[in-house]
């Protein structure tokens, strides 16, 4: 008996806090996914890092043996300064000296990466004034970009998603959830083809050292706003039409980001995903002012009902307590 009562109470407790348990499972799943990614990246990339470290040590040792007049300390200082400059996008190589990082087209590309929060990191402000302006520019520009993207996506969604789904639903009488799923899949395939596969083929043809996988990797890292910065187009020494190429990449990033948001919004409007999201949300509770109004209305209704009942009882009761006069002299008015 006690066991059944305990099990029933546990079941009621779980059902009453179902969204909380779903949320806890979501947090645990996310942490496990983070750990899984860390394990895979570490196991895959750590051996390559070790080989690269060994190669660099061997090259450094061989260089010092061939140049005995150069001490290791001087070489360390030179390499540190060169690497610090490379982190800011300035290279000491002869074939890279012709490319400027802060001409107009490069600055336009940098501004687009800042406002879209992609941030490749291959170029960064060098001066204190540039760093201060980057902070102010980002504080104003990032919310402005979010507003701009929201307005554009909201208008595109009307013509790319809502009207086509409604037209097919009313024209052929198909189920609206089914039409929405098929439309989302088709839209996703078209977007991947136009903004991932075709641009990856173009980048692999324009960039000498990129294959198709590296080009596709750049497209995904850019349009998902991850922006690792290990692959940046237009940075080759013999890049032809570099200014026009940079402007084209800037337009590609902006249009691609808009399309990705349209696709995500289309999938988020599916009924199945809406139901899935509701599993992890808190249930909406009635506001306190609404509860106070309801309580006040209930009390008012109860008071009015009680008064009406009392009034009806007074009407049903006979007139009593009136004295009966035996003679006219008994009337107090006559007296």
């Amino acid at each position: 008996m006690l066991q059944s009562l305990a099990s029933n109470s546990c079941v009621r407790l779980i059902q009453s806090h179902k969204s909380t348990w779903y949320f806890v499972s979501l947090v645990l799943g996310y942490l496990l996914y983070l750990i899984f990614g860390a394990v895979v990246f570490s196991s895959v990339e750590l051996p390559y890092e070790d080989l690269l470290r060994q190669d660099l040590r061997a090259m450094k040792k061989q260089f010092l043996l061939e140049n005995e007049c150069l001490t290791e300390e001087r070489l360390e200082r030179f390499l540190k300064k060169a690497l610090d400059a490379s982190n800011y996008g300035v290279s000491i190589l002869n074939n890279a000296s012709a490319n400027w990082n802060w001409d107009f087209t490069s600055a336009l590309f940098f501004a687009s990466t800042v406002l879209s929060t992609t941030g490749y990191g291959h170029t960064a402000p060098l001066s204190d004034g540039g760093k201060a302006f980057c902070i102010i520019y980002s504080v104003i520009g990032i919310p402005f970009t979010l507003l701009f993207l929201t307005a554009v996506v909201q208008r595109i969604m009307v013509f790319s998603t809502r009207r086509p789904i409604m037209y097919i639903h009313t024209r052929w009488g198909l189920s609206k959830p089914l039409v929405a799923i098929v439309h989302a899949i088709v839209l996703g395939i078209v977007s991947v083809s136009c903004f991932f596969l075709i641009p990856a083929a173009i980048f692999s043809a324009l960039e000498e050292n990129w294959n198709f996988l590296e080009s596709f990797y750049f497209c995904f890292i850019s349009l998902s706003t991850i922006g690792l910065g290990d692959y940046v187009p237009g940075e080759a020494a013999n890049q032809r039409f570099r200014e026009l190429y940079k402007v084209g990449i800037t337009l590609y990033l902006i249009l691609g980001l808009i399309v990705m948001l349209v696709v995500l919004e289309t999938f988020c409007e599916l009924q199945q995903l809406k139901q899935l999201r509701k599993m992890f949300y808190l249930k909406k509770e009635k506001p306190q002012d609404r509860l106070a109004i309801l309580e006040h209305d209930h009390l008012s209704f109860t008071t009015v009902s009680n008064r009406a009942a009392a009034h009806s009882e007074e009407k049903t009761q006979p007139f009593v307590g009136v004295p009966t006069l035996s003679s006219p002299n008994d009337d107090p008015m006559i007296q």
Side-chain angles (χ1 to χ4, degrees):
M1 184 66 181
L2 293 176
Q3 292 179 354
S4 62
L5 290 175
S7 61
N8 292 332
S9 62
C10 291
V11 170
R12 287 195 299 270
L13 179 63
I14 294 175
Q15 290 180 352
S16 61
H17 298 83
K18 187 180 295 185
S19 63
T20 303
W21 294 111
Y22 283 146
F23 178 74
V24 172
S25 63
L26 178 65
V27 173
L28 292 177
Y30 186 75
L31 292 177
L32 290 176
Y33 194 72
L34 284 176
I35 296 172
F36 169 74
V39 170
V40 172
F41 283 127
S42 178
S43 61
V44 171
E45 295 297 331
L46 191 59
Y48 287 93
E49 181 185 357
D50 185 46
L51 289 176
L52 184 60
R53 287 177 181 271
Q54 293 178 8
D55 292 340
L56 288 176
R57 291 193 188 99
M59 291 176 61
K60 178 183 174 183
K61 185 177 181 181
Q62 184 66 27
F63 181 81
L64 290 174
L65 290 176
E66 294 175 356
N67 300 272
E68 296 180 355
C69 59
L70 182 65
T71 62
E72 185 175 2
E73 290 77 10
R74 292 178 61 188
L75 179 62
E76 289 282 347
R77 289 197 300 269
F78 173 75
L79 291 177
K80 183 179 183 304
K81 195 164 186 178
L83 291 175
D84 291 339
S86 179
N87 291 332
Y88 284 100
V90 179
S91 177
I92 62 172
L93 300 178
N94 291 329
N95 58 0
S97 59
N99 296 335
W100 291 88
N101 294 321
W102 294 106
D103 55 359
F104 177 76
T105 55
S106 299
L108 180 64
F109 179 69
F110 172 78
S112 66
T113 60
V114 170
L115 296 184
S116 62
T117 66
T118 303
Y120 291 112
H122 71 293
T123 302
L126 300 174
S127 62
D128 294 338
K131 294 174 183 178
F133 177 75
C134 184
I135 295 173
I136 300 173
Y137 185 73
S138 302
V139 168
I140 300 174
I142 291 176
F144 187 30
T145 304
L146 293 177
L147 177 62
F148 163 74
L149 293 176
T150 303
V152 172
V153 170
Q154 190 271 338
R155 282 162 173 76
I156 294 177
M157 285 288 295
V158 175
F159 299 98
S160 66
T161 300
R162 297 190 180 100
R163 287 188 179 180
I165 292 175
M166 187 59 64
Y167 175 79
I168 296 174
H169 171 64
T170 55
R171 178 75 176 179
W172 287 288
L174 298 176
S175 174
K176 192 173 180 180
L178 178 62
V179 175
I181 293 175
V182 175
H183 174 269
I185 294 174
V186 173
L187 183 63
I189 294 174
V190 173
S191 301
V192 169
S193 300
C194 295
F195 287 89
F196 287 93
L197 298 178
I198 296 176
I202 295 174
F203 283 128
S204 62
L206 295 178
E207 299 290 335
E208 295 180 355
N209 299 324
W210 292 15
N211 55 28
F212 182 80
L213 177 60
E214 292 170 337
S215 302
F216 187 87
Y217 169 80
F218 163 75
C219 295
F220 176 79
I221 292 298
S222 300
L223 297 185
S224 60
T225 67
I226 298 174
L228 297 178
D230 48 351
Y231 289 92
V232 180
E235 297 298 322
N238 55 352
Q239 183 67 54
R240 294 182 300 176
F241 308 105
R242 185 172 182 269
E243 290 78 10
L244 184 61
Y245 189 33
K246 286 285 187 179
V247 173
I249 296 170
T250 303
L251 295 177
Y252 163 73
L253 291 177
I254 295 174
L255 292 177
L257 185 59
I258 292 173
V259 171
M260 292 301 102
L261 292 175
V262 170
V263 173
L264 290 176
E265 185 67 20
T266 301
F267 275 92
C268 288
E269 287 189 356
L270 296 177
Q271 293 295 329
Q272 292 79 3
L273 291 181
K274 287 183 179 180
Q275 295 176 358
L276 180 63
R277 294 200 307 269
K278 288 181 180 179
M279 293 172 56
F280 307 102
Y281 293 167
L282 287 174
K283 293 182 179 180
K284 294 183 179 179
E285 298 180 356
K286 296 179 180 179
Q288 295 296 328
D289 53 351
R290 185 179 177 185
L291 289 176
I293 292 173
L294 292 176
E295 185 178 359
H296 180 268
D297 292 342
H298 177 71
L299 292 175
S300 301
F301 178 77
T302 305
T303 305
V304 171
S305 301
N306 293 335
R307 290 179 179 178
H311 184 66
S312 61
E313 289 180 358
E314 290 177 358
K315 286 185 177 181
T316 56
Q317 288 180 358
F319 293 98
V320 295
V322 179
T324 304
L325 300 177
S326 57
S327 64
N329 295 326
D330 294 334
D331 191 350
M333 295 297 296
I334 298 174
Q335 294 177 357

